[in-house]
Amino acid sequence: MKMKMKTKKKIMKARPFNGLVASLLALLIVLGSFGPVFAEDQSIISDPVDDLIISAEQTTFAGDLNYRYVDVNVQLRDKDTISEFENVFATAKIANPQTVTIEGSGLYPINQDNLNNKKSDSFRIDVSTLDTEKDVTVPIEITVTYDIVKKIYDRNPNNGEFKIDAQGNKTIKYLGTETRQQTTTIYVIHRAEKLPANSALEISKVDIVPNGYVIPGSNFSLIFNVKNTGDAEARNIKASLEGMEPAGINIASGLATKDITILKAGEETSLVYDMKIPASAKAGMYPLTLKYDFIGTNSKGQETTSPTTGSYAFSVDVNQADRDPSALIFEKINFPSGRLGKNKIVPISFTLKNIGTENAQNVKISAISQDVTGLTPVSSSTAIVEKILPGQSANYKFDFKTTDTVSSKAYPVEIKVEYTDKSVADKPHEISQIVGVNGVDWEAEAQKNKDLPTSTPILIIEKYNFDPELIYAGTQFKMDLVFRNTSDKTIKNIKIALSSDAAQSSDQSKLSTQASVFTPVQSSNTFFIESIPAGGKVDKQITLTTSHDTAANTYTLTADVTYEDSQAKQYNSKEIIGVTVVQDSKFSLGEIVLDPEYYVGMPGNISVDFYNTGKVTLSNFMVEFESDGDISSDMPTYYKGNFPSGTTDNYTASITVNSPEAKKGKLVFSYEDTTGQSHSLEKEFELNVQEMIMPEENFEDMPMPEEPASKTPKIIAGLVGLGLIGAAIVIYKKRKKKKEEEDLMIDED
């Protein structure tokens, strides 16, 4: 039969029996030197004490009904025992209520089941607020009263082992029940009545990284600096890049629409777009526009009437800039774009490419942090390279690390490259690029933001991936989407509907447009998600396909999103996904046409027809003549440039065999498709080479023309000489044919 003893005892943040426990511990240490001693219950010696955990993070506003509640979390923990809590309740009291008063009795029951399952329970204090001229910090005294039923696992006093019942469980020993009480104080900030303030966004600049201009066939980044120039925060900022064309600038990866959850007054941040431009793009200025909209707020979190839309127009300079003989450029730069806290490794990598015609020599590459108080190098800051060949790309990486004193600001790193070539002797060529690494002091941010009102629920597409990455017309592909709830509220009843552009046909005989370019495979184009907790994310996958004759282009896939918060208030948002569809590049060759025979030292002909049988234009199309022996061509390279779909061309050259052993060669056809990927095709050929043999007829008996006295006779003499050579070739062929006939007659005999 269980015995329960109940005593009434108030404890105010005190640990009972500390002096007694210390004495018992000392006694046990002394006795331990004489041999093992087993107490009747060793868990008593561990001084079980329950800890009260109360948290509150609140701000109230004068006269604002939406911010009149104070939420308090309570958790009790009992160390080293399996005790339980009963009859738990809390009281709240303001000692001198003035600007803030508590509504109701101030008595709040606590769910003891949650506490006994090691969870917290919460209660809400309803307060009323009065106007005040300045912010006031109001202390609220929270007292939690509860019964603790003391229980421990029973042990054998002889050996200290746990006692086990018939079912194999440890037996429990009850030590009685105590009533305890603990008090703590929470502080609530009561904000004064303030006039509404406006939010205002400004795109202060755009950087074209890494070179400031763009070279056809390259990747680059657009980095926008976005600043809130108003005096109130801006929420749910959406920025969308517009004006892209298939034959010009396009998104290389990521979304055309980007989200910023909150930008406080005076704060600024960066938006980074990874871009690409096809090799077939023409030089010139390409206009683009960054459009944005946002929800403006005032000091109470209420929406304002300030303008909520804007745009920023700019142009990207695409050129084949004047180059040094060895022109090095930054082909691509990678660095962390998010905010980094203390002691984080920061890798910065980049690719250098020599787009010139000569070697870049004595290349010195350095990456220097401009503010070592927050960002220090952890690898060597300098690299020396002997040379980079024309057309060669080389990758480099430097590692940095944020320090213990990193702040919430950008830390610049300058990447500098110096090199020489034949055109310079004293002062080397130099290129440089500065990248900004965003640091953050999370502790300072948390302290600064602790009194802000709860954020509006915002659902965004955090990222997406395609499998395969390259999407060819007429094929299926999988799209993985990651949806994230960026707010501190749970959202529910989430519906995402996908829609796409109308397809453009690459077959000009058909209508210019068809139905939607992307069609779901064995599924709907709509997702439903029951709920996403605060800060949580959900992954979804859908299989899509396109028509075989879909034109190569970058299409937009729109996700229309609706969802609700805990009060069933509905929200709407829209995300734009850029999807690039490519067509297979197809290229066909005719037969290489050769002369029946080639004679050493004499020119001959070679020709071949080639066809673009695909549905896209091939760029940088080139034909190169190669041989493994002594064969020369009057056209070793034929550069066509753009090779439009459905057209044909021809390579014709005059070749000369300079050695009877040189019989084999090949034609190499190379080009780039619409994705910038390089392709090549080799076509080998073999010549029938004959060595020039003079006939047995004695040409010495032939009258030779006299040395001409004027220019006209010289020309006549030259023609006569060519005639003699031609006659020799004819005689040689006749003698060869006669000899072959004689050999045939001998074989027949």
Side-chain angles (χ1 to χ4, degrees), residues 461-726:
I461 296 179
E462 186 175 56
K463 65 178 179 178
Y464 66 91
N465 296 301
F466 298 119
D467 182 18
E469 293 184 2
L470 206 57
I471 301 169
Y472 285 92
T475 63
Q476 294 184 10
F477 65 95
K478 295 179 180 179
M479 180 172 66
D480 294 305
L481 298 166
V482 179
F483 299 94
R484 181 177 289 278
N485 177 4
T486 62
S487 72
D488 56 5
K489 294 180 179 179
T490 297
I491 58 177
K492 60 183 182 178
N493 296 332
I494 306 155
K495 179 182 177 182
I496 302 108
L498 300 177
S499 60
S500 63
D501 295 337
Q504 300 175 7
S505 175
S506 60
D507 188 346
Q508 299 302 317
S509 64
K510 295 185 178 182
L511 295 176
S512 59
T513 60
Q514 304 173 352
S516 296
V517 62
F518 302 111
T519 304
V521 178
Q522 296 180 349
S523 67
S524 169
N525 66 333
T526 301
F527 297 114
F528 180 79
I529 304 171
E530 184 175 351
S531 65
I532 302 179
K537 64 179 181 179
V538 170
D539 298 347
K540 288 291 183 180
Q541 185 183 84
I542 186 172
T543 301
L544 301 168
T545 188
T546 63
S547 172
H548 284 279
D549 60 352
T550 301
N553 199 351
T554 298
Y555 298 91
T556 57
L557 192 62
T558 303
D560 290 296
V561 185
T562 60
Y563 53 96
E564 299 175 353
D565 61 15
S566 57
Q567 278 72 44
K569 182 179 178 181
Q570 193 172 81
Y571 299 86
N572 298 281
S573 65
K574 181 179 292 186
E575 299 280 359
I576 305 296
I577 302 171
V579 186
T580 301
V581 177
V582 298
Q583 280 280 353
D584 251 334
S585 57
K586 295 182 181 179
F587 163 65
S588 300
L589 278 177
E591 290 295 327
I592 297 180
V593 180
L594 303 171
D595 290 348
E597 296 173 338
Y598 293 84
Y599 298 95
V600 177
M602 294 297 296
N605 298 313
I606 183 173
S607 66
V608 62
D609 293 327
F610 46 89
Y611 317 89
N612 183 352
T613 56
K615 297 178 180 179
V616 293
T617 297
L618 309 180
S619 57
N620 290 331
F621 194 95
M622 182 184 297
V623 185
E624 295 176 278
F625 179 91
E626 296 181 3
S627 71
D628 57 357
D630 193 7
I631 304 176
S632 58
S633 170
D634 66 343
M635 189 180 291
T637 301
Y638 169 55
Y639 181 76
K640 180 175 178 60
N642 289 341
F643 190 10
S645 171
T647 62
T648 182
D649 202 352
N650 175 270
Y651 171 80
T652 301
S654 176
I655 60 176
T656 302
V657 182
N658 301 314
S659 169
E661 289 79 19
K663 298 182 179 181
K664 293 184 178 181
K666 63 182 177 182
L667 296 177
V668 180
F669 302 82
S670 61
Y671 62 91
E672 295 178 0
D673 60 21
T674 54
T675 67
Q677 186 176 357
S678 298
H679 302 265
S680 65
L681 175 66
E682 297 181 356
K683 187 75 170 180
E684 296 183 348
F685 60 84
E686 185 171 355
L687 306 179
N688 181 14
V689 179
Q690 301 292 337
E691 190 171 3
M692 178 66 75
I693 302 176
M694 297 302 292
E696 295 179 0
E697 280 79 356
N698 190 358
F699 285 93
E700 295 180 357
D701 296 337
M702 294 183 181
M704 300 299 292
E706 297 181 359
E707 183 69 22
S710 64
K711 184 175 181 180
T712 301
K714 287 182 179 180
I715 295 174
I716 297 174
L719 293 173
V720 171
L722 290 174
L724 291 175
I725 294 174

Side-chain angles (χ1 to χ4, degrees), residues 27-48:
L27 178 62
L28 286 175
I29 292 173
V30 173
L31 294 175
S33 61
F34 298 94
V37 175
F38 300 102
E40 181 179 356
D41 194 325
Q42 290 183 342
S43 64
I44 297 178
I45 299 173
S46 65
D47 187 21

Side-chain angles (χ1 to χ4, degrees), residues 300-479:
K300 296 181 180 179
Q302 299 168 332
E303 294 186 11
T304 67
T305 57
S306 60
T308 58
T309 62
S311 64
Y312 179 77
F314 64 99
S315 294
V316 176
D317 183 12
V318 178
N319 62 41
Q320 295 285 354
D322 295 335
R323 301 172 183 170
D324 299 316
S326 58
L328 290 183
I329 65 169
F330 290 105
E331 194 170 35
K332 190 174 184 181
I333 298 179
N334 295 314
F335 59 96
S337 59
R339 298 201 293 175
L340 303 173
K342 299 177 181 179
N343 301 313
K344 299 295 184 182
I345 296 297
V346 184
I348 298 179
S349 61
F350 53 92
T351 302
L352 286 177
K353 185 175 183 179
N354 186 351
I355 61 173
T357 57
E358 293 184 3
N359 293 344
Q361 299 175 332
N362 304 317
V363 184
K364 179 182 178 181
I365 307 161
S366 60
I368 307 297
S369 171
Q370 305 298 297
D371 189 348
V372 294
T373 61
L375 188 67
T376 60
V378 295
S379 65
S380 174
S381 299
T382 305
I384 305 295
V385 181
E386 181 181 356
K387 61 184 176 181
I388 299 178
L389 304 179
Q392 181 183 8
S393 295
N395 300 317
Y396 302 95
K397 179 173 174 287
F398 295 90
D399 289 327
F400 296 84
K401 186 179 182 180
T402 55
T403 66
D404 286 332
T405 57
V406 65
S407 301
S408 298
K409 67 175 187 178
Y411 291 88
V413 175
E414 182 183 21
I415 306 172
K416 182 185 291 186
V417 180
E418 300 174 277
Y419 62 98
T420 62
D421 55 31
K422 294 181 180 179
S423 67
V424 292
D426 301 327
K427 186 177 180 181
H429 302 298
E430 181 180 305
I431 60 173
S432 64
Q433 180 66 47
I434 294 180
V435 299
V437 177
N438 295 316
V440 62
D441 184 346
W442 291 115
E443 295 177 2
E445 290 288 301
Q447 187 67 22
K448 182 173 62 175
N449 300 333
K450 71 176 184 178
D451 299 324
L452 292 176
T454 306
S455 63
T456 301
I458 299 174
L459 179 67
I460 67 170
I461 296 179
E462 186 175 56
K463 65 178 179 178
Y464 66 91
N465 296 301
F466 298 119
D467 182 18
E469 293 184 2
L470 206 57
I471 301 169
Y472 285 92
T475 63
Q476 294 184 10
F477 65 95
K478 295 179 180 179
M479 180 172 66

